[in-house]
Amino acid sequence: MSTTSTLRPPTEHAEPPPKRIGFGGRLSRWDLRLSPYLYISPFFILFFVTGLFPLVYTGWVAVHDWDLIMGQGEFVGAKNFTDVLGGRDFWNALVNTFSIFVLSSVPQVLAAITIAALLDANLRAKTFWRMGVLLPYVVAPVAVALIFSNLFADKFGLINTLLGAVGIDPIGWHSQRLPSHVAIATMVNFRWTGYNALIFLAAMQAIPRDLYEQASVDGAGKVRQFFSVTVPLLRPTIIFIVITSTIGGLQIFDEVRLYDQFGRGGADGQWQTLTILLYEQGWTRSNFGRASAIAVLLFLIIGVIGLINYFITRLIATSEVKR
């Protein structure tokens, strides 16, 4: 009896057919891919509507003859810019803006770091002192302006009275240029120094205490620890404060407008800033084209000064680290 056997060829392991992804699976994939963008989209939508679009539209208005009542006029190109740059008011306001900005920002940052260092020490009633430095920030700008405009009044102000008591002649806080800048800068420093001090304090408390212990073992005193440990590690916070102070300082409006009852920056423009000039062109003279040109120039100035501040702060902080 013979048996026949049939040899079957070796079968290859064929790839299983791809599973068909149903609608639910595709929806799950889209969810994973698109959800992060959807979560952050409200910010960018709001930024486009309230930030980017007004910026672009301001540039559009700046190259047109635009009246408050008549609306859009003919295209004028760079005429509004040349008119603004060719006038005395713009350069006077630019000098005033930079003067008030320097007088307010530099002392403000230095005082905020010093106060933060004091609050970071072992003090009794820490919460009381930390909340106390924030009180000026919650005071309304109108109230601050009214209080300080009376303190710095030319004839009957408390400051001139105290100066007269020690034999110093009264200072024209409203009639003279530099004294008016000092008075306005004092208002700004009063409101914002405590706020910035709390930001510096939060950054200081994030510094590892081991670094101070090691510095103390190496013989470094408190001052040496502050400049060699604290300040270099505060670099990102310093950059943030400097840039935000630059943006806010160059756009100062409330304190300047409320410094006297007229709100025009002084009889001869002693403390008229770019924002006050912009407001005057747009809402007093109804020339929106020229006001928009001032806004565009102010935007460019803030961008340039912000970049300069950023690079200078990084350079100083890097040199401190290398030491």
Side-chain angles (χ1 to χ4, degrees):
M1 182 177 177
S2 67
T3 61
T4 61
S5 63
T6 59
L7 297 176
R8 295 181 179 176
T11 58
E12 297 181 355
H13 295 286
E15 293 288 337
K19 293 182 179 179
R20 295 188 60 184
I21 302 176
F23 178 74
R26 289 197 296 271
L27 190 62
S28 178
R29 284 188 177 182
W30 293 343
D31 182 32
L32 291 175
R33 291 180 180 179
L34 299 179
S35 289
Y37 300 101
L38 291 176
Y39 293 150
I40 62 174
S41 61
F43 167 78
F44 288 99
I45 292 172
L46 287 176
F47 171 74
F48 177 79
V49 174
T50 62
L52 187 60
F53 174 73
L55 184 64
V56 175
Y57 194 71
T58 301
W60 173 260
V61 176
V63 294
H64 288 80
D65 184 13
W66 206 293
D67 186 81
L68 177 62
I69 299 175
M70 303 301 294
Q72 181 178 351
E74 61 181 5
F75 178 79
V76 295
K79 183 177 182 302
N80 287 324
F81 292 94
T82 55
D83 289 344
V84 169
L85 294 174
R88 170 187 171 275
D89 292 342
F90 176 80
W91 297 107
N92 176 65
L94 182 64
V95 172
N96 292 342
T97 302
F98 273 99
S99 176
I100 295 173
F101 161 67
V102 172
L103 290 172
S104 59
S105 297
V106 176
Q108 184 184 137
V109 173
L110 296 177
I113 293 179
T114 305
I115 293 172
L118 294 174
L119 293 175
D120 195 34
N122 290 324
L123 297 175
R124 291 186 177 180
K126 289 182 180 179
T127 305
F128 172 78
W129 296 113
R130 291 173 183 176
M131 293 300 295
V133 299
L134 194 61
L135 283 179
Y137 177 72
V138 301
V139 179
V142 176
V144 175
L146 288 175
I147 293 170
F148 277 83
S149 63
N150 283 285
L151 287 176
F152 287 100
D154 290 354
K155 292 184 178 179
F156 306 106
L158 178 62
I159 304 299
N160 274 343
T161 302
L162 294 177
L163 292 177
V166 294
I168 299 176
D169 293 335
I171 297 175
W173 297 106
H174 286 75
S175 59
Q176 298 179 21
R177 193 175 197 181
L178 183 58
S180 64
H181 297 180
V182 173
I184 294 171
T186 305
M187 277 190 270
V188 178
N189 292 331
F190 173 77
R191 283 201 69 221
W192 290 98
T193 300
Y195 176 83
N196 290 330
L198 288 185
I199 296 177
F200 280 125
L201 176 62
M204 286 181 183
Q205 291 184 335
I207 298 175
R209 298 296 164 182
D210 298 345
L211 297 177
Y212 292 106
E213 294 176 1
Q214 293 173 7
S216 179
V217 171
D218 292 338
K222 293 294 183 183
V223 177
R224 179 67 176 173
Q225 291 178 23
F226 177 76
F227 286 103
S228 299
V229 178
T230 305
V231 173
L233 293 177
L234 286 179
R235 182 179 63 176
T237 308
I238 294 174
I239 293 173
F240 171 77
I241 294 293
V242 168
I243 292 177
T244 54
S245 298
T246 301
I247 296 172
L250 295 178
Q251 297 184 76
I252 182 172
F253 182 81
D254 295 342
E255 291 84 354
V256 179
R257 183 160 175 78
L258 297 171
Y259 188 53
D260 69 349
Q261 56 183 332
F262 302 106
R264 299 180 59 184
D268 196 28
Q270 304 95 305
W271 66 87
Q272 185 185 56
T273 60
L274 287 175
T275 51
I276 295 296
L277 179 63
L278 186 157
Y279 183 87
E280 181 184 350
Q281 289 289 335
W283 298 102
T284 303
R285 302 184 183 181
S286 301
N287 192 337
F288 271 24
R290 197 170 294 179
S292 299
I294 297 172
V296 173
L297 292 172
L298 179 60
F299 172 76
L300 296 176
I301 292 170
I302 291 173
V304 171
I305 299 300
L307 288 175
I308 293 173
N309 279 342
Y310 174 75
F311 287 115
I312 290 177
T313 310
R314 279 184 61 90
L315 183 64
I316 293 174
T318 304
S319 62
E320 288 290 339
V321 171
K322 287 181 179 179
R323 290 179 186 176

